[in-house]
Amino acid sequence: MIYSGTDVQVYFLRPDKQKEDVLVLSSFFGTKKVDSFVAEVNSILIKQTI
């Protein structure tokens, strides 16, 4: 098997169309930065919904 990287994606559910839209936020070729990036995105999204 060959590791080709990790994509971080966000899935949005559109209530008007009842379908998901996908947005690729970033692509990584190493796994060390993925966790911190996901935590940062979560904190941004949570602050926006409050």
Side-chain angles (χ1 to χ4, degrees):
M1 295 182 64
I2 298 172
Y3 174 72
S4 62
T6 300
D7 287 341
V8 177
Q9 303 174 341
V10 175
Y11 290 83
F12 294 97
L13 179 61
R14 295 184 56 169
D16 58 333
K17 295 187 179 180
Q18 293 299 317
K19 78 174 227 181
E20 289 182 340
D21 286 337
V22 180
L23 176 65
V24 177
L25 295 179
S26 187
S27 296
F28 295 94
F29 293 104
T31 59
K32 291 182 180 181
K33 296 182 180 181
V34 174
D35 287 335
S36 62
F37 181 78
V38 170
E40 183 177 348
V41 169
N42 279 335
S43 71
I44 292 168
L45 291 176
I46 290 170
K47 287 179 184 178
Q48 294 297 320
T49 59
I50 295 178

